[in-house]
Amino acid sequence: MNVPRWLLRHRIKVEPYLGDSAYGPRYGPPVEDVPALVALTVRTVRDREGREVTSTAAVYAGPDLDCPPESRITLPDGRITKAIAVAQHTAPGLPVPESVEVSCE
């Protein structure tokens, strides 16, 4: 069971991180109009290297969201941020919605 679409009131743009090149980070083609719920909240999270960093936004989306850490995200207010950490929320066999939580810079 996926998170209900009616809860995903915002629209974001995601540019998936592909890795680094000699010229800096590389991103995949942008995915426009991704349904999500954006919470502008400040909290401390760990990045992919284990360092504590401050997250200023959390994005909740369906379980099919392709957004690896370091991906570029455009929030509904136009702010461009990067994904710090990505968490898959699943509960196989339980009647709870599956979703992806992305902590953003």
Side-chain angles (χ1 to χ4, degrees):
M1 176 162 90
N2 293 341
V3 64
R5 301 279 292 185
W6 60 269
L7 286 176
L8 307 177
R9 311 291 270 175
H10 302 111
R11 296 294 178 264
I12 61 172
K13 178 172 80 172
V14 177
E15 297 171 75
Y17 178 71
L18 299 177
D20 288 325
S21 71
Y23 303 102
R26 293 179 335 145
Y27 300 97
V31 180
E32 304 273 348
D33 203 36
V34 176
L37 178 64
V38 178
L40 300 177
T41 180
V42 177
R43 64 184 178 161
T44 302
V45 298
R46 292 199 181 270
D47 65 8
R48 65 184 179 159
E49 296 173 358
R51 296 179 301 216
E52 286 189 353
V53 294
T54 302
S55 169
T56 60
V59 173
Y60 301 92
D64 56 342
L65 178 67
D66 178 25
C67 184
E70 300 296 319
S71 294
R72 224 172 4 203
I73 300 172
T74 304
L75 299 177
D77 63 3
R79 180 168 64 114
I80 298 174
T81 185
K82 287 189 180 177
I84 299 171
V86 180
Q88 297 279 341
H89 298 293
T90 62
L94 297 177
V96 294
E98 295 183 1
S99 64
V100 172
E101 176 184 3
V102 181
S103 299
C104 303
E105 289 182 340

